[in-house]
Amino acid sequence: METKRTTFPNKGLPFLLVAPQLIITLVFFIWPAAQAVKSSFERADPFGLSTKFVGLAHYARLFSDPLYLASIGRTALFAASVTAISMGFALILAVAVSRVIRSAQTYTTLLVWPYAVAPVVAGILWWFLFNNATGILPYFMRYVGIDWDSALNGDHAMTLVIIAASWKQISYNFLFFVAGMQSVPHALTEAAAIDGASPWKRFWTIIFPLLSPTTFFLFIVNINYVMFDTFAIIASTTEGGPNQATNTLVYKVYADGFIGLNLGSSSAQSVVLMLFVIVLTFVQFRYVERRVQY
């Protein structure tokens, strides 16, 4: 098969075209990441005028800190819950929309709207809904015997941030699942239907396996979303409380660095968080991708 290849008469033009993206990546990712790695090996004086090389002292202190170890387990629970809920609901909604012939475009448009909401706005929205004094949801939960109080109960606070973070991500997952289901050949499902396969069996044996590349991609994206992009939701709802109950790794980086002014420890935490995500992504590509059917 003939491969089309663009050629430029001026050899410097390709480098000029990619230069803006390279500069943005260097300034906003490479340079801050290098500074974080450098700061993780240093300790600054109280006025920030000088630094002292301390080696791995920040890392050793981190992994002997019970609060930090607890935040790792808390983040794992948070990541697993948000990923499972957001992808599960998105898949259900995508299946429902694919079975609707009329008004499918309207449903799709309405379901995509939450993705346009800023994370901090999504957090405030759910904070109002679950507010113990003014929220409508705690009012109805009292009728079924649930005394909701996310300001004092750690389990309630974690439930609140999980719901807010999941709701924000469902639209993104929904778009990809809808696109993936539209690419499934109708001839396969129609042939299975003629052979007497039920809708559930057609979905489980034909559609779901063909969605595995989309599911694998969304699994990686959702893990990265929970690790980094949920900071604004936690900051606008619980601020890591009560009693550290929602203090995940990404929020602890902010709390220790900007509130506690412990920049060395905060830098070490950001480096560890980045390594966690890299290792998780490697494991997913190394072991989970084997089950994907392209």
Side-chain angles (χ1 to χ4, degrees):
M1 185 176 68
E2 184 180 356
T3 303
K4 293 183 179 179
R5 184 177 180 181
T6 304
T7 57
F8 294 91
N10 188 338
K11 293 184 178 179
L13 183 58
F15 298 98
L16 184 63
L17 293 176
V18 299
Q21 182 61 46
L22 290 177
I23 293 174
I24 290 174
T25 304
L26 180 65
V27 172
F28 292 102
F29 180 74
I30 302 297
W31 176 252
Q35 286 295 312
V37 174
K38 177 177 175 290
S39 299
S40 68
F41 296 106
E42 296 176 341
R43 177 178 296 154
D45 64 52
F47 301 100
L49 301 177
S50 64
T51 57
K52 177 183 177 183
F53 182 76
V54 295
L56 297 173
H58 292 306
Y59 294 95
R61 190 173 294 111
L62 273 183
F63 288 101
S64 61
D65 182 5
L67 293 179
Y68 186 73
L69 297 178
S71 70
I72 294 177
R74 195 177 302 122
T75 304
L77 171 66
F78 181 56
S81 302
V82 171
T83 301
I85 293 173
S86 61
M87 290 184 65
F89 272 94
L91 182 59
I92 292 172
L93 291 173
V95 172
V97 166
S98 69
R99 296 178 65 84
V100 175
I101 298 176
R102 294 181 179 179
S103 305
Q105 293 295 332
T106 304
Y107 286 131
T108 303
T109 303
L110 293 175
L111 289 170
V112 169
W113 277 4
Y115 187 62
V117 177
V120 64
V121 176
I124 293 174
L125 170 67
W126 284 98
W127 181 83
F128 272 113
L129 288 174
F130 278 102
N131 186 273
N132 191 39
T134 59
I136 189 171
L137 296 178
Y139 175 79
F140 288 109
M141 281 190 278
R142 292 191 190 101
Y143 285 99
V144 293
I146 300 176
D147 188 14
W148 180 271
D149 191 353
S150 58
L152 297 176
N153 190 309
D155 294 335
H156 293 177
M158 178 57 79
T159 304
L160 167 60
V161 294
I162 287 174
I163 292 175
S166 302
W167 178 81
K168 179 71 179 68
Q169 190 66 4
I170 283 175
S171 300
Y172 182 88
N173 298 336
F174 167 77
L175 278 177
F176 280 87
F177 277 131
V178 168
M181 295 186 70
Q182 289 177 347
S183 66
V184 175
H186 291 292
L188 295 177
T189 55
E190 289 172 356
I194 293 173
D195 289 340
S198 63
W200 167 251
K201 192 169 184 178
R202 294 199 298 270
F203 170 78
W204 190 248
T205 59
I206 298 175
I207 298 175
F208 189 70
L210 292 177
L211 283 177
S212 56
T214 305
T215 306
F216 177 67
F217 165 75
L218 290 177
F219 184 58
I220 295 175
V221 170
N222 278 259
I223 291 293
N224 283 274
Y225 159 74
V226 175
M227 289 293 183
F228 296 111
D229 291 346
T230 53
F231 162 77
I233 291 176
I234 296 175
S236 61
T237 52
T238 62
E239 296 181 336
N243 193 25
Q244 309 282 326
T246 56
N247 197 7
T248 59
L249 289 177
V250 66
Y251 190 80
K252 189 169 173 52
V253 170
Y254 161 77
D256 289 355
F258 288 88
I259 299 177
L261 297 180
N262 191 349
L263 297 181
S265 176
S266 177
S267 298
Q269 291 177 43
S270 63
V271 172
V272 171
L273 177 59
M274 183 172 60
L275 292 177
F276 276 156
V277 173
I278 292 174
V279 171
L280 278 174
T281 305
F282 172 78
V283 170
Q284 289 166 351
F285 272 100
R286 183 70 176 82
Y287 298 102
V288 180
E289 194 184 20
R290 293 177 178 177
R291 299 178 180 273
V292 176
Q293 301 179 15
Y294 291 102

